[in-house]
Amino acid sequence: MGAPATATLPKPISLYQTNREQGRPARRVFVSYCLHRTNRSSTSRLDISLDAQKLVEEFDPKIPIEKALTPPSSWYTHPSFLALEFDRVFSRGWQAVGYTDQIKEPHDFFTGRLGSVQYVVCRDDNGKLHAFHNVCRHHASILASGFGKKSCFVCPYHGWTYGLDGALLKATRTTRIEDFSVNEFGLIPVKVATWGPFVLLNLAKGIPVQNEPASDAVDNEWLGEASEILSTNRIDSSLDYICRREYTIKCNWKVFCDNYLDGGYHVPYAHKGLAHGLKLDSYSTTIFEKVSIQSCEGGKTESADDYARLGSKALYAFMYPNFMINRYGPWMDTNLVLPLGANKCQVVFDYFLDASLEDDKSFIERSLEDSERVQIEDIVLCEGVQKGLESPAYSSGRYAPTVEKAMHHFHCLLHEDLRNDF
């Protein structure tokens, strides 16, 4: 076998090459280079938008599920498509970002990121809930990280200091600065609300950020008609928070959502242990405006622990676009799916438990081990699907109409949001 061929790379052009090297003034080389860079950057956003628009129209939500094709693989692999999703899906409407125990008392805070948006949620000295872009107004440094308690936010770069109400308290070394008003350089606010045990943000631009919205307004905008059903199924603040688990998965964020929304289709094949604790023939799916609820009765198991964990009925609620609530037995866990790239996401699991069992360490440990086993099985599935989506052998698939209604609903909602503003 011969030596591998070596590609010949073009010689880099210095901005300051001599006339002899280029045959023209060095200044013209510099101007030409700048024009090339300017033209390329000014058209890149347009090109991405046009590319993404073409990809959106490759799925037709008007075709009934019995005849419909699934979205093309490019929805799960193309970087420009993810950029469009951040703009049209994640930057609009309410997004679950945390739980109320994280900001229970004055001075509590937590931080997070969604796409390019860095945010911080906190309670001020008086206990009022706030959310802000987690960016210093001076030179754009990130202000806070993680979670905990703070009496103020001090920029680690130049020491600018902000109150937990967002006001700029101190701007260092501004003695000779002109046309500068401290009152105009507070943190940029983000609309924040709570529903039950969850903290929600609305990242939409141009919406007024006033007092915390009334709960019924959040009900209507986030959950619609599903709100009452979720409330009556004990998805509330009465459970105790137990722990958090985070998984980084090598798949597009929608692959994880699709897997969740297949109506239990994959359970008997991929989760044999879980399948024994459920009556899969009782699986049902109910579709609401931006919520789908899957439910299944618990089955007879050989292990009393399995029944104690799963209970007599399991409910799986999906809040568009990326939040899941799972209620079973004494447990509730939530899944927040965060895109990290076209082929990578992070899934954050938070676990809640009936207060009567919070001291049963053995039961908690066994339950979390069972849950971990299911998550690892799902990760294997999702990463395998992503590899298949990147293969030239696959373009689009089909739906199983009797079980994958929630998945089809998810894709239709995505299409509706992604077409807006075109």
Side-chain angles (χ1 to χ4, degrees), residues 107-216:
H107 300 173
D108 285 347
F109 79 96
F110 69 87
T111 62
R113 175 185 175 183
L114 188 54
S116 62
V117 176
Q118 302 275 356
Y119 60 82
V120 56
V121 180
C122 61
R123 288 198 185 274
D124 65 19
D125 297 344
N126 299 316
K128 183 179 179 180
L129 182 64
H130 299 274
F132 305 100
H133 288 271
N134 185 20
V135 178
C136 180
R137 297 293 304 280
H138 179 216
H139 285 327
S141 174
I142 299 302
L143 281 175
S145 60
F147 61 92
K149 281 185 175 291
K150 285 184 182 289
S151 59
C152 59
F153 296 119
V154 180
C155 179
Y157 197 5
H158 297 109
W160 283 35
T161 303
Y162 302 85
L164 298 184
D165 60 356
L168 177 60
L169 302 179
K170 183 173 71 173
T172 60
R173 297 202 169 189
T174 56
T175 304
R176 299 179 64 182
I177 192 171
E178 298 180 6
D179 301 322
F180 173 70
S181 172
V182 169
N183 295 332
E184 295 176 358
F185 270 77
L187 297 179
I188 304 298
V190 175
K191 196 171 184 180
V192 63
T194 60
W195 186 90
F198 309 120
V199 178
L200 313 173
L201 296 183
N202 191 325
L203 302 176
K205 299 176 182 178
I207 60 172
V209 180
Q210 301 169 340
N211 295 328
E212 185 176 344
S215 60
D216 57 345

Side-chain angles (χ1 to χ4, degrees), residues 40 153 155 170 173 297 302 317 342 358 385-386:
R40 185 172 68 178
F153 296 119
C155 179
K170 183 173 71 173
R173 297 202 169 189
E297 295 177 12
E302 297 177 0
E358 66 175 340
V385 167
Q386 185 66 35

Side-chain angles (χ1 to χ4, degrees), residues 38-52:
T38 302
N39 290 339
R40 185 172 68 178
S41 63
S42 64
T43 58
S44 61
R45 286 182 61 86
L46 177 61
D47 291 343
I48 288 175
S49 222
L50 292 174
D51 284 346

Side-chain angles (χ1 to χ4, degrees), residues 395-413:
S395 176
S396 292
R398 297 295 300 269
Y399 297 98
T402 59
V403 288
E404 294 184 322
K405 295 186 288 292
M407 186 192 300
H408 182 251
H409 179 241
F410 170 53
H411 296 157
C412 291
L413 290 173

